[in-house]
Every structure is written in structure tokens, then in C-alpha cells.
Amino acid sequence: MIRVLSGATFAAVSAAIPKSTAARRLHSSYDVAVVGGGIVGLATVRELILRHPSLSFVLLEKEKEISLHQSGHNSGVIHSGIYYTPGSLKARLCVRGATLAYDYCEKKGIPYKRCGKLIVAVEQEEVPRLKALYQRGLQNQVRDLGIIDAKGIREREPFCRGIMALDSPYTGIVDWRQVALSYGRDFVEAGGTVVTEYEVNDIALAAESPAGDGPVTGLKHPVAVRDRRGGEVRCRYVLTCGGLYSDRLSQISGCSPEPRIVPFRGDYLVLKPEKHYLVKGNIYPVPDPRFPFLGVHFTPRMDGSIWLGPNAVLAFKREGYKVHDFNLRDFGDAISFRGLQKLVLKNLRFGVGEMYRGIFTGAQVKLLQKYIPEISPSDVLRGPAGVRAQALDRDGNLVDDFVFDGGAGGVASRVLHVRNAPSPAATSSLAIGEMVADEVERRFAL
């Protein structure tokens, strides 16, 4: 069954898509169909309908609820934009996105905490990298950034040990799924339609109009977006924000399969409640440029819990949050991709270490003890996991910035695909929505 949500139904709930709504076989027409109900798709369709209230929009989501995957399985951090290459799209979107996110949460009454973040150098050899990171943050115009010494670290985090730290008080935390759901409510209240349980498997030009009254060239809604159950949505244009499936959505519309999406699972530990006093804000390591991910860190959550980690290992299923989750197609696609093979060869030692720490909790705790020596293996429990949709090119390079993908001629000329390295897509979501809406207007002359 397909769930079609009315504005009244959506506005009546504050936390999730309703469990029971009137369902019917969908065969309708819209100006724009957006595929993907994660935080990027929601922010974008919200922006589009606010700009173009006279147009009709539909959001298509394959799950029973919106924002169930990356949007609901992330660290919950509001990033400030320190790490990213100055002048890059990723840096600009994160800095603007953080400001927009705080303003949005204030306007909507969504709880958040501006608890700050310390990026801590524990060895002398890390100090030059920390200072370079500080300069990068200044170039990115990150707010309130500063460098503090060992005494300053202890004042901010009494149990943390380090010789120098980058202090980012503008960094915060929020429940990003709650934010994503609020975007969805904004969209529906503005007149948009959300359809869940609609797994798109075909995007093609329609052979004729629903009434059979003309060829494709004469159709007002020439694109047919079909799902696995026989549903069909007609539209003028399609935008996909498919996250973990963005490469496959591109392929079915005749666009490029690359960059390829490779799923990496991050497993967290959680600090036992009686040890929560050890951590006040976010504590991060100085990133090592030799390795592709940030490393383990300490992350307070809005529910009061404290997450530790994560590691980063290849997931055997694109939405595989458990160690034993496996999908033959997902696994085969990943290991047969030359880009992943090259990435593994370049980072073999790092990968083996991540796998080892994922199996043996003590090994991960040992890394955490570099920052808070009082933590012991008995203080932690295994926690949740998330899956990162990492875009890779065929040379094994991580694709850091967002990629727009469309085509010339046929259905490809009416489709725009958004592929993104997800971090920090939640923080940047409103800024991404603005950017994607600009691109949609430019390409499709809305």
C-alpha cells in the first residue's frame, strides 16, 4: 500500500509520519517529484515549495516514515565548519547551514544545546596540524574560534588531558531527525504531498498521457516515476536526493553511475550513565591527513547519553546497521568497484585497525583514554551504529563535495540527481536546500 499524507494529518503529529492513513494506488501528476525523504530531500523540497507556492510538489519515500536512515542515525552534532577546504562548497554550506540551523530551531522551538567542541592535541607532533586547522577555520569564518592551552582544556573539560586544543563554542547538538520531521511538516503545510512506501525503480518518459491524448512531446507531465508495486507518478521534472541509493537512482534514469556510493558503518560505544560526569561537550582528536575519517570522539546527545566513537568499516548492506546485516547485491557492488579496491589498498593498515577496534571494545577504549584517562572498558557499552553514504570515484578518492548529475536529451534532461558526501549534510541541510533549489531553477526554468 502507498501512504498519501494530507496536510491536516501531517500537522496533527509532531514526531513522526502517522502509522495509519487513507491509502490508495497512486496515479497523479505534479510539477516536480522529489525522490528521497531524508534531511537533504526534505530541506530541498521545503525550499522549493516556499519559493514556488503555485507549483505542485510530491515527495516520494521508500520507507514507512521519512528520515529513517542517515538523518536518524547520525551523531547529532551541529558542526561549525572547521575541517573543510577554504572556499570549497562544503565549507561555505556548513558555515551558513549552522547559522540557519540555529535560527530554525529557535523559530520552531526545537531543543538544542550549544555545548561547544574541543579538538585536542595530546602529542607535540599534533600541534602544527592543530594550528593549521585553526587557520583553516578562520579562513572559513567559523564563529568564536580560539586556541587554548592545557589549563584552558581542564577548565572546559576537567577530565580531559591535552597540551593544546582548538575551542569551537559555536558547535552544538540537536536531534536531527526531529529537525527533518519539522521540514516535512513545513512542506505539507505549504501544500506539498508526501508519499511513503514508494520505492522508485523506474524513471522514464511516458509513452502517452494518462488519457491517451497525445505523444510525449505534447505532454504537460512527460516523466513517469514508477515504483515496485505498480504505482506511477507523472511529473514535469524529477529531483533525486537518494543518499545511500543516489548512484542507483542515477543509473535507472540513464545518467552516470559514478561517483559510486560505498556504505561505511560506524559503530558507537556509549558511556554508562554513572560516568557521564566525565564529558561536558564534544571532544575530538586532531585529524590525521593520512587517513580518510576523523577518528573516535566524545559526543553528548540531546537525551543525555554520551556516544563514543565511531569506527569506520565497510558495511555489507547499504542500510546495514548491525554487524551481521548482509545484502548480496550491495556487497558485490562494493567489492567489485575498482575505486573501493584502490581505497582499501591505500589505507589497508587503517582499515584493519578499524575492524579490530570494532570487534574488541578495549582497543577502542584505549584510543579514548588518550583524552580522558579515567575511562575504562567497564565504563562503556556497545551502542548504536550509523551508515555513511561515502561517494568514491574510480581512482579511490573520497568525493568531498556535492555532485549534481543530469543528462542531455530524453528523460535525463528532466532529471537532476544530488549526490553528497553526507557529513555534514544535516548541519548544512537548509543551505543545501537553497543551493539545490537554485540549481533546479537554473536547469528547469521553474
Side-chain angles (χ1 to χ4, degrees):
M1 283 291 195
I2 303 170
R3 303 183 183 196
V4 183
L5 308 177
S6 68
T9 303
F10 206 114
V13 292
S14 60
I17 293 288
K19 302 302 181 186
S20 59
T21 60
R24 59 180 172 83
R25 185 57 55 195
L26 190 72
H27 195 109
S28 301
S29 299
Y30 299 87
D31 290 304
V32 180
V34 177
V35 181
I39 197 166
V40 171
L42 289 163
T44 302
V45 79
R46 172 188 178 274
E47 179 70 19
L48 283 167
I49 200 169
L50 292 177
R51 292 188 188 187
H52 302 279
S54 63
L55 299 182
S56 56
F57 294 87
V58 63
L59 179 77
L60 305 174
E61 166 58 40
K62 69 182 178 64
E63 302 292 357
K64 293 181 178 180
E65 300 178 11
I66 57 175
S67 69
L68 281 184
H69 291 294
Q70 291 182 102
S71 307
H73 289 82
N74 58 55
S75 65
V77 176
I78 304 173
H79 293 280
S80 58
I82 298 169
Y83 299 101
Y84 316 115
T85 303
S88 68
L89 185 60
K90 202 169 186 180
R92 298 197 308 271
L93 290 172
C94 184
V95 172
R96 175 162 173 75
T99 300
L100 292 175
Y102 281 126
D103 290 345
Y104 183 85
C105 289
E106 285 283 350
K107 180 180 179 181
K108 296 292 183 177
I110 297 173
Y112 69 87
K113 295 179 182 177
R114 200 171 295 178
C115 57
K117 174 168 73 174
L118 296 183
I119 302 175
V120 181
V122 294
E123 298 174 0
Q124 195 64 41
E125 67 181 28
E126 295 176 324
V127 171
R129 298 206 307 270
L130 186 74
K131 291 181 177 179
L133 200 61
Y134 173 63
Q135 292 300 321
R136 175 174 283 196
L138 293 180
Q139 291 179 63
N140 288 340
Q141 301 182 348
V142 174
R143 294 192 186 189
D144 306 326
L145 204 58
I147 287 184
I148 58 177
D149 59 13
K151 181 181 177 182
I153 294 172
R154 289 193 298 273
E155 289 173 351
R156 286 285 309 278
E157 294 283 354
F159 296 92
C160 182
R161 298 296 176 264
I163 58 178
M164 186 180 290
L166 191 55
D167 181 16
S168 175
Y170 198 65
T171 300
I173 57 174
V174 73
D175 182 339
W176 282 117
R177 184 160 192 248
Q178 187 175 353
V179 175
L181 291 169
S182 183
Y183 294 167
R185 287 193 296 275
D186 293 346
F187 170 64
V188 173
E189 289 168 1
T193 300
V194 174
V195 180
T196 58
E197 298 183 84
Y198 196 93
E199 185 173 358
V200 174
N201 72 337
D202 186 40
I203 302 173
L205 289 176
E208 59 181 0
S209 70
D213 58 0
V216 169
T217 54
L219 293 181
K220 183 179 178 182
H221 303 96
V223 182
V225 183
R226 303 182 180 97
D227 81 335
R228 297 184 181 278
R229 300 182 180 184
E232 181 175 287
V233 170
R234 295 285 180 88
C235 57
R236 293 167 57 204
Y237 305 106
V238 179
L239 171 69
T240 75
C241 302
L244 285 157
Y245 293 92
S246 58
D247 53 345
R248 291 183 183 171
L249 286 169
S250 181
Q251 283 181 282
I252 66 173
S253 68
C255 296
S256 173
E258 294 182 9
R260 189 77 63 84
I261 299 299
V262 177
F264 285 89
R265 192 184 71 252
D267 300 303
Y268 285 91
L269 303 175
V270 294
L271 196 60
K272 290 182 178 179
E274 60 267 27
K275 295 291 183 176
H276 284 179
Y277 67 88
L278 293 173
V279 179
K280 293 184 178 298
N282 293 280
I283 302 173
Y284 278 57
V286 179
D288 190 329
R290 296 173 299 172
F291 302 126
F293 300 111
L294 282 177
V296 297
H297 42 271
F298 301 76
T299 306
R301 302 275 295 175
M302 288 301 296
D303 63 3
S305 63
I306 296 174
W307 289 11
L308 314 171
N311 64 344
V313 296
L314 178 67
F316 298 153
K317 182 180 179 181
R318 293 205 177 193
E319 292 162 353
Y321 302 106
K322 299 178 182 178
V323 175
H324 53 75
D325 285 343
F326 179 84
N327 178 279
L328 183 60
R329 181 186 177 188
D330 292 348
F331 180 67
D333 281 353
I335 64 171
S336 64
F337 179 47
R338 185 61 177 166
L340 178 63
Q341 295 168 7
K342 290 183 177 181
L343 179 70
V344 169
L345 289 174
K346 287 189 293 186
N347 298 278
L348 185 60
R349 182 181 175 186
F350 173 83
V352 171
E354 291 294 284
M355 291 177 66
Y356 180 80
R357 285 186 287 274
I359 297 170
F360 299 102
T361 300
Q364 192 150 321
V365 171
K366 188 174 181 180
L367 287 181
L368 296 166
Q369 288 172 334
K370 292 171 63 177
Y371 304 92
I372 298 184
E374 284 82 355
I375 288 181
S376 69
S378 63
D379 295 329
V380 303
L381 301 169
R382 290 195 179 274
V387 178
R388 173 187 179 127
Q390 180 60 59
L392 278 181
D393 67 20
R394 63 179 60 192
D395 294 321
N397 299 312
L398 305 181
V399 179
D400 283 334
D401 263 335
F402 299 92
V403 177
F404 288 122
D405 181 19
V411 70
S413 66
R414 290 182 171 267
V415 180
L416 177 63
H417 301 285
V418 177
R419 305 192 205 185
N420 62 287
S423 179
T427 297
S428 307
S429 55
L430 288 173
I432 293 170
E434 293 176 338
M435 177 195 69
V436 177
D438 289 344
E439 187 69 11
V440 169
E441 290 174 338
R442 186 185 71 81
R443 293 204 182 199
F444 302 145
L446 291 185

